[in-house]
Amino acid sequence: EPEVTQTPSHQVTQMGQEVILRCVPISNHLYFYWYRQILGQKVEFLVSFYNNEISEKSEIFDDQFSVERPDGSNFTLKIRSTKLEDSAMYFCASSLRDTYEQYFGPGTRLTVT
Amino acid sequence: RKEVEQDPGPFNVPEGATVAFNCTYSNSASQSFFWYRQDCRKEPKLLMSVYSSGNEDGRFTAQLNRASQYISLLIRDSKLSDSATYLCVVNRDDKIIFGKGTRLHILP
């Protein structure tokens, strides 16, 4: 069964450093998403991406964040200058259509020290 | 009012019992609705989509009432493996909103 994959599973970085989180969505899916979940809190929408551009983003997704689909398979989330409060689990998801079911990757745990 | 609200939980129920989860959403323009489950420190996994006509998948039944902006999930004959957090998810204009989730503990 096709699945969304994410790397790395755990990333530790120092405050102020840039990080890139990587995702490989399901191959025939067209819509891609990033979410975050701070420990003990709810899953929060960050951004959706379709046709090589951002289609929707939340208030959390400020200028420190960017997304890219550098080739036909990868979808990345970059945080330019990490803060302590960026420590969270980051999930990538993909779907065939914008209102269809989304399938989530296993997540990257980001720890900012 | 929060955009998606769920029962705070946790629910502690004996194995074999029937469990009902409730969810309300505030934006009437919401377009699609889902239930996900999330195990501790894992990713959300799709349980089922929710349709206006109601839908069933084995022991799971989901209902949607657009007039009341209310979604429900019923689990019959609960199993130990049903222990998880159940997340109500609403999609509007490609913006996806998760509820906080309701934690379910099935007791042997």
Side-chain angles (χ1 to χ4, degrees):
Chain A
E1 186 177 308
E3 58 184 22
V4 177
T5 59
Q6 289 186 243
T7 53
S9 56
H10 191 188
Q11 173 98 44
V12 181
T13 190
Q14 288 191 321
M15 200 165 54
Q17 295 295 303
E18 174 184 286
V19 293
I20 298 176
L21 310 183
R22 292 186 163 79
C23 169
V24 178
I26 294 172
S27 61
N28 63 334
H29 283 187
L30 302 176
Y31 291 79
F32 314 116
Y33 308 85
W34 282 102
Y35 296 84
R36 79 171 185 192
Q37 188 174 30
I38 295 168
L39 190 62
Q41 297 188 24
K42 70 173 190 171
V43 177
E44 297 174 290
F45 170 75
L46 292 177
V47 66
S48 56
F49 191 86
Y50 168 71
N51 202 26
N52 281 320
E53 58 183 33
I54 290 173
S55 49
E56 186 75 43
K57 61 182 181 180
S58 71
E59 309 77 40
I60 303 166
F61 194 87
D62 61 23
D63 292 342
Q64 292 299 311
F65 291 88
S66 62
V67 288
E68 204 177 31
R69 188 150 161 84
D71 53 44
S73 57
N74 289 284
F75 179 50
T76 62
L77 174 70
K78 183 194 287 188
I79 309 175
R80 262 181 269 286
S81 177
T82 50
K83 307 186 196 67
L84 292 175
E85 54 265 36
D86 293 327
S87 295
M89 190 74 134
Y90 287 80
F91 293 110
C92 173
S94 69
S95 68
L96 199 51
R97 294 281 302 273
D98 55 349
T99 55
Y100 281 26
E101 301 89 348
Q102 294 183 24
Y103 294 87
F104 282 72
T108 294
R109 180 174 302 285
L110 177 65
T111 303
V112 183
T113 61
Chain B
R1 184 182 171 189
K2 290 180 191 155
E3 193 150 358
V4 177
E5 288 205 68
Q6 296 186 240
D7 296 322
F11 292 173
N12 298 302
V13 300
E15 199 174 359
T18 295
V19 190
F21 298 94
N22 302 308
C23 173
T24 56
Y25 60 96
S26 60
N27 194 314
S28 59
S30 299
Q31 295 158 302
S32 52
F33 311 89
F34 308 94
W35 283 102
Y36 282 75
R37 68 170 278 167
Q38 187 175 27
D39 294 286
C40 191
R41 295 181 179 261
K42 298 281 193 182
E43 74 273 25
K45 284 195 189 303
L46 179 69
L47 193 59
M48 56 201 303
S49 303
V50 189
Y51 305 116
S52 298
S53 53
N55 47 306
E56 190 173 304
D57 182 4
R59 298 181 294 110
F60 299 84
T61 301
Q63 298 272 358
L64 167 65
N65 185 322
R66 283 190 187 268
S68 306
Q69 295 176 202
Y70 168 83
I71 307 159
S72 66
L73 174 69
L74 193 76
I75 305 177
R76 288 181 298 280
D77 186 24
S78 52
K79 313 283 184 204
L80 293 175
S81 56
D82 293 333
S83 296
T85 297
Y86 288 80
L87 308 171
C88 176
V89 180
V90 170
N91 186 331
R92 173 179 57 83
D93 295 330
D94 209 24
K95 189 175 178 192
I96 297 86
I97 311 295
F98 277 75
K100 283 194 77 170
T102 303
R103 186 144 182 80
L104 173 66
H105 297 283
I106 302 298
L107 308 170

